[in-house]
Amino acid sequence: GILGCNIGEIDCPVIADVYIVLNCGDAVTGIGPSALAPPYSEGGVNESMLIKFFKQSGANNVFVWLVPAEQIQKERDGVERRVKENMAAAYKTDIDTIWRRAVSLPYFGLRWGRHGMTLYLMHKVYMAALAGEVNMSYSYNEFLWMREDNRFVQHDWPRPTRTCLPWSESPLVLLDRYCGFGSYSDKIYFMNPKGA
């Protein structure tokens, strides 16, 4: 299962709740035979199938929010407006000037749209987890964030490492180091509460 325990094992010491926030129209196709892919499908996302997949994979609770594309665009427009205002204030210039400088940076157009959506959805799912935690009899001590195009490997797949993750009272964020583009990964983040 997703917890590293056998499915249905009563003594598994780990409890995982899964929070999913997706654009209603997103469709992600599967990759590779060694991957356990959540059931995204062409033409949209099936909420009940997602819940069933993660429950059968060992999740304690599964919460799914499908956000309409219009709402996402409206909220992202508001975020972009605040980013422009904050940049202009920080550089003591007007919004048009600072934004022209920003969009002239290499790869800005590619990164702002794609990574902006990633950060937006990361924030939405983290806020959903904090709101959900209020109703739990336990507190979250770790957060694992994954993009929707990640997969779980089969249990017997030979992983590069099985090293335990470090414990820290300071903010801690661990990234996947296997980025195929020679940069920081935007696919997987493991965080303690202060890091999140």
Side-chain angles (χ1 to χ4, degrees):
I2 61 174
L3 306 176
C5 302
N6 293 324
I7 301 299
E9 183 179 331
I10 295 173
D11 295 331
C12 183
V14 180
I15 294 176
D17 292 330
V18 175
Y19 292 84
I20 301 168
V21 178
L22 288 172
N23 179 339
C24 286
D26 281 351
V28 182
T29 56
I31 54 168
S34 65
L36 296 173
Y40 302 105
S41 61
E42 295 296 332
V45 176
N46 184 310
E47 182 177 346
S48 62
M49 287 177 66
L50 278 173
I51 292 171
K52 181 179 177 182
F53 170 83
F54 283 104
K55 284 279 197 176
Q56 288 178 340
S57 299
N60 186 45
N61 295 296
V62 181
F63 307 94
V64 179
W65 288 271
L66 302 178
V67 185
E70 303 79 28
Q71 180 182 339
I72 288 177
Q73 190 58 53
K74 181 179 178 182
E75 291 179 11
R76 287 197 63 215
D77 289 347
V79 169
E80 183 171 308
R81 185 184 69 252
R82 289 189 298 275
V83 166
K84 290 177 181 180
E85 291 167 354
N86 291 339
M87 288 172 61
Y91 286 93
K92 296 179 177 36
T93 187
D94 62 279
I95 289 174
D96 292 334
T97 300
I98 196 64
W99 198 245
R100 275 195 306 274
R101 287 171 58 190
V103 298
S104 69
L105 295 170
Y107 308 111
F108 179 86
L110 290 172
R111 291 187 171 145
W112 177 251
R114 183 176 300 147
H115 298 296
M117 176 63 85
T118 298
L119 293 172
Y120 164 81
L121 290 174
M122 181 186 285
H123 174 74
K124 294 282 282 185
V125 77
Y126 178 64
M127 296 310 292
L130 290 181
E133 183 181 34
V134 171
N135 299 314
M136 302 297 171
S137 61
Y138 47 85
S139 298
Y140 297 133
N141 54 11
E142 294 161 344
F143 294 90
L144 173 66
W145 181 87
M146 298 174 24
R147 273 183 12 184
E148 76 283 352
D149 58 348
N150 277 295
R151 302 293 184 262
F152 298 99
V153 297
Q154 300 284 1
H155 183 68
D156 58 352
W157 188 76
R159 292 181 291 181
T161 180
R162 290 184 182 265
T163 305
C164 292
L165 298 170
W167 183 84
S168 174
E169 285 191 19
S170 301
L172 175 71
V173 179
L174 302 175
L175 306 179
D176 172 21
R177 74 174 183 182
Y178 297 102
C179 173
F181 301 99
S183 185
Y184 294 111
S185 173
D186 65 345
K187 298 230 178 212
I188 301 173
Y189 294 81
F190 180 85
M191 303 160 280
N192 67 6
K194 288 184 180 176

